[in-house]
Amino acid sequence: MRLFRTVEGIFVEEDGQHYHTGGNSLDTLLSRDDLPEYLAEFIAGTKPTTNLAYGEVLAPIENQEVWAAGVTYFRSRGARMEEAKDAGGGDFYDRVYSAERPELFFKSTASRTVGAGGKVQIRRDARWSVPEPELTLVVSPSGRIVGYTIGNDMSSRDIEGENPLYLPQAKVYNGSCALGPGILVTASPLAQSTEIKLEIERREKVEFAGSVALSELKRDPETLIEYLRRDNSFPAGCFLMTGTGIVPPSSFTLASGDLIRITIEPIGTLENEVA
Ligand code: DO4
Ligand code: MG
């Protein structure tokens, strides 16, 4: 079952049929701990409506904060150690990879987030920018995972690598986050064999492609949420990006006009152009 936020309201999609959820906002729905069960019951008693036009889909976010975990894949640990070596950074990325406490940082709000088909941005003062394709947990106010979406944690690697204290500037700016296309609502965890795939197209040619399996994620999603919620509450629920396991080679930087395509099979494909 997938949930789409559109200009016409919130739709549930199942088996190719779409069901309009009436006056529900995403805030109302995501604040339900029983969302998977509630929506299953809702569609069982509702007639499908017209088909959903993809172009009408909006980012699946209202008053939720977006948070992110970092250095949760071995590949990310290596890439950060390399980019921060002149700043003496090798050690702390290695330490956070194996520490009990995960790296968690504030990533975005609705106003900085674009949906499928929207334009993500690279900072004007950055020279080295990459997309980070991340499985993103949809978390209810009480901390239950009620679904999954695809996230792009756009990052300025030169700013991040210069000094770890610059991380918020490397990560949080207008158009630095993409979420979507919709939310896969499910009470079951995703299979460990689930693949996250990234493709970057430039002038109609694939410039970079990579993939990683969820089994490579070092941290347990429930443990990441437990840390995030320590003395921290989310009345409208929240999104938690789980980190990247795909890093393009160091010679690669995004350019205006690039198309970024992130696919996680049961959720869909999140495609964005770089502004
Ligand atoms: O510590 C820097 C950020 C790491 C990150 O965003 C990731 O591993 O995905
Ligand atoms: Mg990331």
Side-chain angles (χ1 to χ4, degrees):
M1 207 168 22
R2 292 185 302 168
L3 204 57
F4 290 96
R5 180 169 167 259
T6 81
V7 287
E8 319 252 335
I10 314 283
F11 286 82
V12 185
E13 182 258 352
E14 173 138 280
D15 293 334
Q17 305 273 26
H18 297 94
Y19 304 82
H20 197 286
T21 66
N24 273 301
S25 66
L26 198 64
D27 284 352
T28 319
L29 292 170
L30 294 190
S31 63
R32 295 194 74 109
D33 288 326
D34 64 345
L35 185 64
E37 298 79 14
Y38 171 78
L39 289 182
E41 231 173 81
F42 166 74
I43 62 172
T46 310
K47 277 204 168 88
T49 52
T50 52
N51 273 348
L52 181 72
Y54 186 81
E56 297 174 354
V57 172
L58 305 172
I61 180 170
E62 284 173 357
N63 279 306
Q64 295 72 33
E65 291 175 356
V66 184
W67 285 70
V71 201
T72 51
Y73 289 82
F74 193 71
R75 178 72 185 100
S76 179
R77 167 193 166 275
R80 308 300 149 188
M81 287 171 73
E82 179 59 28
E83 80 190 7
K85 64 178 187 302
D86 293 343
D91 184 42
F92 49 75
Y93 286 116
D94 185 35
R95 276 171 26 206
V96 81
Y97 181 73
S98 39
E100 200 176 319
R101 183 187 288 274
E103 178 196 4
L104 293 172
F105 58 91
F106 177 80
K107 173 63 192 175
S108 193
T109 49
S111 70
R112 301 179 181 92
T113 302
V114 302
K119 289 193 177 181
V120 288
Q121 297 195 34
I122 48 183
R123 284 184 68 112
R124 269 179 298 169
D125 57 356
R127 286 171 288 101
W128 185 16
S129 300
V130 291
E132 293 190 353
E134 307 193 5
L135 174 69
T136 301
L137 314 175
V138 183
V139 185
S140 76
S142 78
R144 183 178 180 205
I145 299 175
V146 292
Y148 301 89
T149 188
I150 302 173
N152 179 355
D153 170 22
M154 290 285 287
S155 302
S156 315
R157 291 192 63 191
D158 54 328
I159 296 174
E160 174 185 276
E162 190 178 335
N163 190 315
L165 298 181
Y166 294 159
L167 188 80
Q169 295 176 72
K171 295 287 192 180
V172 187
Y173 57 90
N174 296 333
S176 67
C177 178
L179 289 179
I183 294 172
L184 175 73
V185 177
T186 174
S188 318
L190 295 186
Q192 288 290 294
S193 57
T194 304
E195 293 261 325
I196 301 172
K197 295 183 192 148
L198 168 67
E199 196 176 85
I200 304 169
E201 189 182 304
R202 182 170 295 167
R203 292 186 286 273
E204 292 170 21
K205 276 192 153 141
V206 176
E207 188 75 14
F208 173 81
S211 69
V212 70
L214 216 48
S215 54
E216 301 289 311
L217 175 61
K218 185 173 185 273
R219 305 274 180 177
D220 168 37
E222 301 286 354
T223 310
L224 291 174
I225 293 169
E226 193 273 312
Y227 270 96
L228 180 63
R229 295 184 67 253
R230 287 187 187 186
D231 293 290
N232 209 2
S233 44
F234 301 94
C238 68
F239 294 92
L240 178 56
M241 294 177 155
T242 55
T244 187
I246 307 173
V247 184
S250 299
S251 54
F252 176 87
T253 186
L254 283 170
S256 174
D258 285 356
L259 287 178
I260 303 164
R261 234 170 262 127
I262 306 170
T263 301
I264 305 179
E265 209 55 80
I267 309 172
T269 296
L270 173 64
E271 181 173 317
N272 299 99
E273 185 181 334
V274 178

